[in-house]
Amino acid sequence: MRLVVTGREGQVAASLLEASQGRAGVEVIAIGRPELDLAKPDTLIEAIAAAKPDIVVSAAAYTAVDQAEDEPDLAFAVNAVGAGKVAEAARRLGVPVIHLSTDYVFDGSKDSAYVETDATAPASVYGASKLAGEQAVALANPSHLILRTAWVYSPFGKNFVKTMLRLAADRDEIAVVADQWGNPTSALDIADAILHAAAMLHDDKSFGTFGIYHLAGTGEANWSGFARHILDTSRVSGGPWARVRDIATMDYPTKARRPANSRLSSAKFASVFGWNAPDWRQSTEMVVRRLLIGGTKQALTA
């Protein structure tokens, strides 16, 4: 089974490449710029076809949430038009597409975890562009899995875990928002889930349970609780530590509005594919320890 994933530098792409190592019969190929550029749709079909995929994983995206407020055209070109073209390329090749989306398609006003049938209402340009991408993917390729995830971190790329460890190395106290809730999700777990689902799609060509799924870490936290667990794990492991001070969203203004509630129920994915994410604390501890083994400031900022 050959998975072709768009985007070489992203957390999910890097995690998929790592997860495929040592798995018999599984090959992951990551393609990105300049061969593939989501902002240049003409490059997509040729680049994807040349890699000869059995399944395409659409992971590349415009993810600068605040910057998207100033660059809506680029955000939509990449996250909507580009994503649709990736799905179209997969359809032309006769293969399914697995597309990564986000909790930001919701406005965060619900009191409980979001399920797949809840009404979408993005409150930011980034969220709107990702929702448009979901719609473009579904129209372009009936054989699609759209996986909404949230609060993604890993040993790769830039993410919240790395930021907390880097700040703790230089500060005694870190102010972190305490009134936004979600599911911290390891990209290592996302990669494992994708490989699990992809194997089912590959082995059963008649598998027809396509559509939208939520895929997030098990359990919930607010950002400050997430930060405390990161730093407590670091301290126990001999790494940097700092006090975490709770603040409100209004005390940390950002250009793009963040959902107060990003919690996602992943029960549908678990029921259909028989896969559950580990508790977010367990996955966070694994990533923190890996980063501390690297031990360099470069590892925390790369």
Side-chain angles (χ1 to χ4, degrees):
M1 178 179 67
R2 176 179 290 177
L3 273 66
V4 171
V5 56
T6 62
R8 291 195 184 98
E9 306 301 326
Q11 296 187 76
V12 172
S15 297
L16 277 168
L17 286 166
E18 179 180 274
S20 67
Q21 301 302 311
R23 294 202 187 198
V26 176
E27 182 181 13
V28 173
I29 298 174
I31 54 176
R33 291 178 292 187
E35 293 83 8
L36 179 143
D37 186 340
L38 266 64
K40 299 176 181 177
D42 293 343
T43 68
L44 301 179
I45 291 177
E46 183 178 352
I48 292 171
K52 299 180 179 179
D54 293 307
I55 295 173
V56 173
V57 179
S58 175
Y62 180 108
T63 58
V65 175
D66 290 317
Q67 192 172 334
E69 298 295 313
D70 296 323
E71 297 180 333
D73 291 344
L74 180 57
F76 273 84
V78 173
N79 290 343
V81 178
K85 290 296 183 181
V86 169
E88 179 185 342
R91 178 184 57 78
R92 289 191 184 187
L93 296 169
V95 301
V97 62
I98 299 175
H99 176 70
L100 274 295
S101 190
T102 176
D103 55 309
Y104 278 51
V105 301
F106 300 112
D107 64 7
S109 61
K110 188 179 178 182
D111 291 334
S112 57
Y114 283 95
V115 297
E116 291 81 356
T117 53
D118 283 328
T120 53
S124 65
V125 169
Y126 168 72
S129 70
K130 290 297 289 182
L131 178 59
E134 291 185 5
Q135 296 163 345
V137 166
L139 285 173
N141 191 339
S143 299
H144 63 266
L145 294 183
I146 294 170
L147 306 179
R148 293 174 179 154
T149 190
W151 294 24
V152 178
Y153 65 91
S154 71
F156 314 109
K158 294 181 179 179
N159 57 71
F160 185 76
V161 171
K162 285 188 175 183
T163 297
M164 290 299 102
L165 293 174
R166 175 173 51 81
L167 292 177
D170 297 326
R171 303 181 185 179
D172 295 327
E173 182 178 88
I174 306 171
V176 184
V177 169
D179 55 359
Q180 295 175 21
W181 290 81
N183 311 99
T185 309
S186 170
L188 302 177
D189 294 333
I190 295 172
D192 187 58
I194 288 174
L195 290 175
H196 179 85
M200 292 178 67
L201 298 180
H202 184 256
D203 294 342
D204 183 0
K205 303 301 182 185
S206 64
F207 190 89
T209 312
F210 293 106
I212 296 175
Y213 292 83
H214 292 172
L215 178 62
T218 297
E220 62 185 50
N222 58 13
W223 284 112
S224 61
F226 187 18
R228 285 189 179 91
H229 191 66
I230 292 165
L231 297 177
D232 287 346
T233 300
S234 174
R235 178 166 61 174
V236 169
S237 303
W241 180 85
R243 293 183 302 276
V244 174
R245 177 167 55 88
D246 291 358
I247 61 171
T249 296
M250 64 182 299
D251 298 323
Y252 187 74
T254 56
K255 189 166 290 188
R257 180 185 156 198
R258 268 69 171 172
N261 173 29
S262 281
R263 291 173 292 172
L264 301 177
S265 168
S266 302
K268 179 183 173 183
F269 188 90
S271 175
V272 172
F273 293 101
W275 187 94
N276 286 282
D279 184 272
W280 71 265
R281 298 169 189 82
Q282 175 185 337
S283 295
T284 299
E285 290 161 13
M286 180 185 302
V287 169
V288 169
R289 289 173 185 140
R290 278 190 55 172
L291 289 168
L292 293 177
I293 288 172
T296 66
K297 203 162 190 177
Q298 181 180 4
L300 298 181
T301 57

